[in-house]
Amino acid sequence: MADLTPARKRTRGSARKAGASFERVVADYMRDTIDDRIDRRVRTGARDCGDIAGLRAHGQHVAVEVKNCRDWKPGTWLREAEKERINDNALAGIVVAKRHGSADPGEQVVLMTLADLVAIIRGVRPEETS
């Protein structure tokens, strides 16, 4: 028998709620596994510094953008993370994206540029060492 329930459309409000909920899951996981000072960031307006505060590598900030979207836009998301990295004067900018079908926070996906990976591993951005 066919399913007669109407498909639910995601509204702006439901999308914001899902995003905020996923940010909380990511922040709590990072807090519990990395550093108890990590938390969701208070919204800062035009000079957005990311969704998660308190993540550090080599004593420097790491900007974290959290995405809970079915349609992935890695280029757009990475550009946003880079703007947030610059706004926060951070070492690197990363994106944590929801892996739909997996509720385990440790199984979510992290996107970053190779330059950001090098910065996290070495503690200095590649362009600053040339």
Coordinates of all heavy atoms in Angstrom, one line a residue, residues 50-86:
G50 N 32.3 31.6 13.3 CA 32.0 30.2 13.3 C 30.9 29.8 14.3 O 30.5 30.7 15.1
D51 N 30.6 28.6 14.3 CA 29.5 28.1 15.2 C 29.9 27.5 16.5 O 29.1 27.3 17.4 CB 28.7 27.0 14.4 CG 28.0 27.5 13.2 OD1 27.5 28.7 13.2 OD2 28.0 26.8 12.1
I52 N 31.2 27.1 16.6 CA 31.8 26.5 17.8 C 32.9 27.4 18.3 O 33.8 27.8 17.6 CB 32.3 25.1 17.5 CG1 31.2 24.2 16.8 CG2 32.8 24.4 18.8 CD1 30.0 23.9 17.7
A53 N 32.9 27.6 19.6 CA 34.0 28.4 20.3 C 34.8 27.5 21.1 O 34.3 26.5 21.7 CB 33.4 29.5 21.1
G54 N 36.1 27.9 21.3 CA 37.0 27.2 22.2 C 37.8 26.1 21.7 O 38.6 25.5 22.4
L55 N 37.7 25.7 20.4 CA 38.5 24.7 19.8 C 39.9 25.4 19.4 O 39.9 26.4 18.8 CB 37.9 24.1 18.5 CG 38.7 23.0 17.8 CD1 38.9 21.8 18.7 CD2 38.1 22.6 16.5
R56 N 40.9 24.7 19.9 CA 42.3 25.2 19.6 C 43.2 24.1 19.1 O 43.0 23.0 19.5 CB 42.9 25.8 20.9 CG 42.1 27.1 21.4 CD 42.7 27.6 22.7 NE 42.0 28.8 23.1 CZ 42.3 30.1 22.7 NH1 43.3 30.3 21.9 NH2 41.6 31.1 23.1
A57 N 44.2 24.6 18.4 CA 45.3 23.7 17.9 C 46.5 24.5 18.1 O 46.6 25.7 17.7 CB 45.1 23.3 16.5
H58 N 47.5 24.0 18.7 CA 48.8 24.7 19.0 C 48.6 26.0 19.7 O 49.2 27.0 19.4 CB 49.6 24.9 17.7 CG 49.9 23.6 17.0 ND1 50.9 22.8 17.3 CD2 49.3 23.0 15.9 CE1 50.9 21.8 16.5 NE2 49.9 21.9 15.7
G59 N 47.5 26.1 20.6 CA 47.2 27.3 21.3 C 46.5 28.3 20.5 O 46.3 29.5 21.0
Q60 N 46.1 28.0 19.3 CA 45.5 29.0 18.4 C 44.0 28.6 18.1 O 43.7 27.4 18.1 CB 46.2 29.2 17.1 CG 47.7 29.6 17.3 CD 48.4 29.6 16.0 OE1 48.1 30.4 15.1 NE2 49.4 28.7 15.9
H61 N 43.2 29.5 17.9 CA 41.8 29.3 17.5 C 41.7 28.5 16.3 O 42.5 28.6 15.3 CB 41.0 30.6 17.3 CG 40.8 31.4 18.5 ND1 39.7 31.4 19.3 CD2 41.7 32.3 19.1 CE1 39.9 32.2 20.3 NE2 41.1 32.8 20.2
V62 N 40.6 27.6 16.2 CA 40.2 26.9 15.0 C 38.8 27.3 14.8 O 37.9 27.0 15.6 CB 40.4 25.4 15.0 CG1 39.9 24.7 13.8 CG2 41.9 25.0 15.2
A63 N 38.5 27.9 13.6 CA 37.1 28.3 13.3 C 36.3 27.1 12.8 O 36.8 26.3 12.0 CB 37.0 29.4 12.3
V64 N 35.1 26.8 13.4 CA 34.3 25.6 13.1 C 33.0 26.1 12.6 O 32.2 26.7 13.3 CB 34.2 24.7 14.3 CG1 33.4 23.5 13.9 CG2 35.5 24.3 14.9
E65 N 32.7 25.7 11.3 CA 31.4 26.0 10.7 C 30.6 24.6 10.7 O 31.2 23.6 10.3 CB 31.5 26.5 9.3 CG 30.2 26.8 8.6 CD 29.3 27.8 9.3 OE1 29.9 28.7 10.1 OE2 28.1 27.8 9.1
V66 N 29.4 24.6 11.2 CA 28.6 23.3 11.3 C 27.5 23.4 10.3 O 26.7 24.4 10.2 CB 28.1 23.1 12.7 CG1 27.2 21.9 12.8 CG2 29.2 23.1 13.7
K67 N 27.3 22.3 9.5 CA 26.3 22.3 8.5 C 25.4 21.0 8.6 O 25.9 19.9 8.7 CB 26.9 22.3 7.1 CG 27.6 23.6 6.8 CD 26.7 24.7 6.7 CE 27.4 26.0 6.3 NZ 26.5 27.2 6.3
N68 N 24.1 21.2 8.6 CA 23.2 20.1 8.6 C 22.3 20.3 7.4 O 21.2 20.8 7.5 CB 22.3 20.1 9.9 CG 21.4 19.0 10.0 OD1 21.2 18.1 9.1 ND2 20.6 18.9 11.1
C69 N 22.8 19.9 6.2 CA 22.1 20.1 5.0 C 22.1 18.8 4.2 O 23.1 18.1 4.2 CB 22.7 21.2 4.1 SG 22.9 22.8 5.0
R70 N 21.0 18.5 3.5 CA 21.1 17.3 2.6 C 21.8 17.6 1.3 O 22.5 16.8 0.8 CB 19.6 16.9 2.3 CG 18.9 16.3 3.5 CD 18.0 15.2 3.0 NE 17.4 14.6 4.2 CZ 17.8 13.5 4.7 NH1 18.8 12.9 4.3 NH2 17.2 13.0 5.8
D71 N 21.7 18.9 0.8 CA 22.5 19.2 -0.4 C 23.8 19.8 0.0 O 23.9 20.9 0.6 CB 21.7 20.3 -1.2 CG 20.4 19.8 -1.7 OD1 20.3 18.6 -2.0 OD2 19.4 20.6 -1.8
W72 N 24.9 19.1 -0.2 CA 26.2 19.5 0.1 C 26.7 20.5 -0.8 O 26.6 20.4 -2.1 CB 27.1 18.3 0.2 CG 27.0 17.5 1.5 CD1 25.8 17.3 2.2 CD2 28.0 16.9 2.2 NE1 26.1 16.6 3.3 CE2 27.4 16.3 3.3 CE3 29.4 16.7 2.0 CZ2 28.2 15.6 4.3 CZ3 30.1 16.0 2.9 CH2 29.5 15.4 4.0
K73 N 27.4 21.6 -0.3 CA 28.0 22.6 -1.1 C 29.4 22.9 -0.5 O 29.6 23.9 0.1 CB 27.1 23.9 -1.0 CG 25.7 23.7 -1.6 CD 24.9 24.9 -1.5 CE 23.5 24.6 -2.1 NZ 22.6 25.7 -1.8
P74 N 30.3 21.9 -0.7 CA 31.6 22.1 0.0 C 32.4 23.3 -0.4 O 33.0 24.0 0.5 CB 32.4 20.8 -0.5 CG 31.5 20.1 -1.4 CD 30.2 20.7 -1.4
G75 N 32.3 23.8 -1.6 CA 33.0 25.0 -2.0 C 32.5 26.2 -1.3 O 33.3 27.0 -0.7
T76 N 31.2 26.3 -1.2 CA 30.6 27.4 -0.5 C 30.9 27.4 1.0 O 31.2 28.4 1.6 CB 29.0 27.4 -0.7 OG1 28.8 27.5 -2.1 CG2 28.3 28.5 0.0
W77 N 30.8 26.2 1.5 CA 31.0 26.0 3.0 C 32.5 26.3 3.3 O 32.8 27.0 4.4 CB 30.7 24.6 3.4 CG 29.2 24.2 3.3 CD1 28.2 25.1 3.0 CD2 28.7 22.9 3.4 NE1 27.0 24.3 2.9 CE2 27.3 23.0 3.1 CE3 29.3 21.7 3.6 CZ2 26.5 21.9 3.2 CZ3 28.4 20.6 3.6 CH2 27.1 20.7 3.4
L78 N 33.4 25.9 2.5 CA 34.8 26.1 2.8 C 35.2 27.6 2.7 O 36.0 28.1 3.4 CB 35.7 25.3 1.9 CG 35.7 23.8 2.2 CD1 36.4 23.0 1.0 CD2 36.3 23.5 3.5
R79 N 34.5 28.3 1.7 CA 34.7 29.8 1.6 C 34.2 30.5 2.9 O 34.8 31.4 3.4 CB 34.0 30.3 0.4 CG 34.8 30.1 -0.9 CD 34.3 30.8 -2.1 NE 33.0 30.3 -2.5 CZ 32.8 29.3 -3.3 NH1 33.8 28.6 -3.7 NH2 31.6 28.9 -3.6
E80 N 33.1 30.0 3.4 CA 32.5 30.5 4.6 C 33.4 30.3 5.8 O 33.7 31.2 6.6 CB 31.1 29.9 4.9 CG 30.4 30.5 6.1 CD 29.0 29.9 6.2 OE1 28.5 29.2 5.4 OE2 28.4 30.2 7.3
A81 N 34.0 29.1 5.9 CA 34.9 28.7 7.0 C 36.2 29.6 6.9 O 36.7 30.0 7.9 CB 35.3 27.3 6.9
E82 N 36.6 29.9 5.7 CA 37.8 30.8 5.5 C 37.5 32.2 6.0 O 38.3 32.8 6.7 CB 38.3 30.8 4.1 CG 39.4 31.7 3.8 CD 40.7 31.4 4.5 OE1 40.8 30.3 5.2 OE2 41.7 32.2 4.4
K83 N 36.3 32.7 5.7 CA 36.0 34.1 6.2 C 35.9 34.1 7.7 O 36.4 35.0 8.3 CB 34.6 34.5 5.6 CG 34.6 34.9 4.2 CD 33.2 35.2 3.7 CE 33.1 35.4 2.2 NZ 31.8 35.6 1.7
E84 N 35.4 33.0 8.3 CA 35.3 32.9 9.7 C 36.7 32.8 10.3 O 36.9 33.4 11.4 CB 34.4 31.8 10.1 CG 32.9 32.1 9.7 CD 32.0 30.9 9.8 OE1 32.5 29.7 10.0 OE2 30.8 31.1 9.6
R85 N 37.6 32.1 9.7 CA 38.9 31.9 10.1 C 39.6 33.3 10.2 O 40.2 33.7 11.2 CB 39.8 31.0 9.2 CG 41.2 30.9 9.7 CD 42.1 30.2 8.6 NE 42.4 31.1 7.5 CZ 43.3 32.0 7.5 NH1 44.0 32.3 8.6 NH2 43.5 32.7 6.4
I86 N 39.4 34.1 9.1 CA 40.0 35.4 9.1 C 39.4 36.3 10.2 O 40.1 37.0 10.9 CB 39.9 36.0 7.7 CG1 40.7 35.2 6.7 CG2 40.2 37.5 7.6 CD1 40.5 35.5 5.2

